[in-house]
Amino acid sequence: MDQAIHFAADFPWRSEVALGDVVEAPRTWDVELFARAAHLLGRWNARSTSPAVLARSAFPAGYALRMYAERAVPARGLGPLADDGLWAHPWLACHADLRADLRRLGSCIPAMLDRLDTFVQAMPHGDASPQNLLVPADGPDGFVVIDISFRSPHALGFDLGQLLVGLTHAGHLPAAVLDELADRILPAYLDGLETEGLTGLRDDVAEAFALSVQLRSGFDAIPWEWLDDPVHERDVAERVALARCLVGRALAHVG
């Protein structure tokens, strides 16, 4: 049976539980729930900065994101950005400015990765989207987390990326709310760090959040294969809006 990790709102412990035993509470992902998740992720990440935890990784800081950025992003993101015919598609033709911004950021990928390695590192969840943070009926103030991935140290703030974009990827949250949501989950996450004694990291975490989510989800936000299917016109527009949100936040930190 698949395994999951449970952590309660007061965060006194974590333990493995059988995923088949988890009964989810009927809870909508509203701003309050996003903030609670961000706070607890901050606490979890703070506790995962210890040398003993980091030493359990066989990989250096930023390894998993670096592999994704160097191997997947060129094919899934940078290649399509270079395709003039693709960007002449009626659904994309009016977004030349977005294309230009993405290409500018694409040239900065090595510098972005190096910059992320300079920040405080933690062992993250790795895929902390709402779909992987289950609210259990017998403990609705906490979460059961599943599908842990990207198992190498990453900069504090990395886990906020999937929390932000997960429901938009799934088509359940409009991209128009993402900027406001990002501005709510960042301070909640910082509060979680501070609860565990990590202070004075606001600027670093904000930058790491913006750069890492761009690398993970910004370059390949648009599923190019949808361009051939009329049923996906609205979906593509949402993904364009998602890309604009992430690009705008990343550009604020790239000189």
Side-chain angles (χ1 to χ4, degrees):
M1 185 175 293
D2 291 336
Q3 297 293 304
I5 302 295
H6 178 269
F7 57 97
D10 57 358
F11 211 82
W13 50 269
R14 294 186 309 183
S15 64
E16 290 192 351
V17 297
L19 182 55
D21 294 338
V22 178
V23 177
E24 292 186 69
R27 178 66 192 267
T28 300
W29 274 85
D30 54 18
V31 172
E32 177 187 350
L33 190 58
F34 272 104
R36 185 191 309 162
H39 174 84
L40 290 176
L41 284 169
R43 296 190 65 183
W44 181 3
N45 287 174
R47 293 190 178 195
S48 299
T49 61
S50 72
V53 172
L54 297 178
R56 297 184 66 180
S57 173
F59 303 104
Y63 177 84
L65 184 59
R66 186 175 291 273
M67 291 300 98
Y68 186 84
E70 294 178 351
R71 299 181 182 183
V73 168
R76 293 162 55 101
L78 302 184
L81 282 173
D83 188 334
D84 291 338
L86 192 67
W87 283 85
H89 190 284
W91 298 351
L92 297 178
C94 63
H95 298 294
D97 61 325
L98 173 62
R99 183 190 185 192
D101 286 341
L102 284 166
R103 296 178 80 172
R104 175 188 170 195
L105 285 171
S107 70
C108 298
I109 286 176
M112 292 163 68
L113 289 166
D114 289 346
R115 176 67 172 163
L116 287 168
D117 291 347
T118 69
F119 296 130
V120 176
Q121 304 290 308
M123 283 296 292
H125 175 288
D127 192 8
S129 65
Q131 298 94 317
N132 294 333
L133 305 177
L134 312 181
V135 181
D138 62 353
D141 290 333
F143 297 89
V144 173
V145 301
I146 62 173
D147 290 350
I148 293 172
S149 64
F150 274 64
R151 301 305 288 159
S152 64
H154 288 88
L156 290 174
F158 174 83
D159 267 340
L160 288 176
Q162 291 301 101
L163 181 64
L164 177 67
V165 305
L167 291 185
T168 301
H169 276 168
H172 300 318
L173 188 72
V177 307
L178 291 180
D179 269 318
E180 180 182 357
L181 181 60
D183 290 340
R184 290 294 301 272
I185 62 176
L186 176 58
Y189 180 86
L190 290 165
D191 184 66
L193 295 180
E194 291 172 2
T195 299
E196 298 294 330
L198 291 182
T199 61
L201 296 175
R202 178 179 178 81
D203 290 346
D204 287 358
V205 171
E207 183 174 354
F209 174 22
L211 297 184
S212 60
V213 70
Q214 173 62 39
L215 290 163
R216 176 82 176 271
S217 302
F219 292 104
D220 54 4
I222 303 169
W224 312 105
E225 65 275 12
W226 288 357
L227 295 177
D228 296 325
D229 188 345
V231 75
H232 283 304
E233 182 173 5
R234 185 177 182 84
D235 300 323
V236 170
E238 279 293 299
R239 291 302 191 90
V240 167
L242 167 63
R244 285 191 177 279
C245 170
L246 301 187
V247 164
R249 302 183 80 86
L251 284 174
H253 298 280
V254 173

